[in-house]
Amino acid sequence: MRRGLVYVGALWSHGHFTVNGTLLEAWASHQSFRPKDDPSPPASDGDPKNPTADFRSEKRSNTTHDSVTDPGARLARKSHGTASIVGHLGSVLMDNRHGLIVATDVRAPGFDAERDAALEMLTRLDPRTRRRTLGADQGYDTAALVEGARACGVTPHVARNIHVNKSTSAMDGRTTRHAGYEISQRKRKLVEEGFGWGTTIDGLRKLQHRGREKVAWIFSFVNAAYNLVRLRTLIRAGVCA
């Protein structure tokens, strides 16, 4: 787990936030993912300059293999049915008023990693007597996240994960019936703009740094740069001076 906090001063709403995570492709190839008990290079085609190793028939997992290029990276998929990549998980906490990133987190991808990162970032916010809200997509709709957010004095506004003929949502009508819940669901889409900017403009499509400490630093730096771009837009629109 690596921490990051981006300072945006009085422009925070301090009351309404969104959390989301994205996979960051590491500066490491699949060929660098080798067994922990035998990290020696696999058999290759003999090319001394750029050897090609056949690893496709080998069963690999994060419990048995590590990347020798970036040991902090893990195998992960962006969605079901897609190819796995060697990467890190980057998460952000966004202010809903102006779409500014107020906290970042980089850690190894895992089943509960995004939700754990969300709760960790909530604990970094300054104490507040009034309750906050936290918008998120269906991936955060678990009892542990909902209960953890409430323990931090935050009302979770998480999209309900309801499948056909089966309800698995930890959210109920006591929260979803309020107008603020719908506002949070609309506002949370702003977080994708920051991810898109970092991917297309500022080099997050493929990391060029190795090690979680450096990745966490560059991820915070990119989001701080995005805040400056966002502030320029807000100033031109007369939203803030």
Side-chain angles (χ1 to χ4, degrees):
M1 177 181 60
R2 297 295 180 267
R3 302 181 178 183
L5 189 63
V6 182
Y7 179 71
V8 287
L11 293 175
W12 295 14
S13 70
H14 293 278
H16 306 288
F17 298 91
T18 289
V19 67
N20 207 346
T22 185
L23 276 178
L24 307 172
E25 187 173 356
W27 191 251
S29 69
H30 277 269
Q31 294 187 41
S32 74
F33 221 68
R34 299 173 188 169
K36 295 180 180 180
D37 56 357
D38 183 18
S40 58
S44 68
D45 58 2
D47 187 340
K49 293 185 178 180
N50 188 22
T52 299
D54 182 12
F55 55 83
R56 290 173 177 80
S57 59
E58 180 185 354
K59 186 176 181 180
R60 301 180 300 168
S61 72
N62 290 319
T63 58
T64 60
H65 288 62
D66 270 334
S67 171
V68 295
T69 304
D70 187 351
R74 296 290 183 271
L75 283 174
R77 286 186 174 90
K78 292 188 176 182
S79 61
H80 292 295
T82 61
S84 63
I85 65 170
V86 181
H88 302 269
L89 172 67
S91 298
V92 300
L93 188 68
M94 181 196 75
D95 156 62
N96 283 358
R97 176 183 291 173
H98 293 132
L100 298 170
I101 306 302
V102 301
T104 63
D105 183 282
V106 170
R107 62 182 65 203
F111 183 74
D112 289 318
E114 284 189 72
R115 296 175 285 276
D116 291 342
L119 295 177
E120 167 66 24
M121 289 187 289
L122 287 179
T123 64
R124 295 184 225 148
L125 297 176
D126 295 332
R128 189 171 187 260
T129 55
R130 296 180 61 184
R131 292 189 69 84
R132 295 180 165 106
T133 64
L134 180 71
D137 61 31
Q138 293 181 359
Y140 294 83
D141 186 11
T142 65
L145 184 282
V146 170
E147 293 169 5
R150 287 172 177 161
C152 294
V154 177
T155 300
H157 284 177
V158 179
R160 302 186 71 189
N161 186 14
I162 300 178
H163 301 286
V164 178
N165 298 325
K166 182 181 180 181
S167 175
T168 59
S169 179
M171 302 295 297
D172 56 39
R174 293 176 299 174
T175 300
T176 59
R177 67 186 178 185
H178 295 290
Y181 176 83
E182 294 298 330
I183 294 174
S184 291
Q185 287 301 299
R186 291 199 303 270
K187 283 287 189 178
R188 71 177 176 83
K189 298 175 183 178
L190 274 174
V191 76
E192 299 295 343
E193 295 184 11
F195 287 153
W197 186 87
T199 298
T200 58
I201 303 298
D202 218 1
L204 289 185
R205 183 179 299 277
K206 177 78 171 182
L207 295 170
Q208 299 182 30
H209 298 77
R210 295 169 180 168
R212 204 166 302 153
E213 290 284 355
K214 289 184 179 179
V215 171
W217 179 86
I218 196 65
F219 188 62
S220 291
F221 183 83
V222 167
N223 280 286
Y226 172 72
N227 280 348
L228 294 177
V229 174
R230 183 72 180 159
L231 285 171
R232 179 193 62 189
T233 303
L234 294 171
I235 290 172
R236 286 179 176 175
V239 175
C240 58

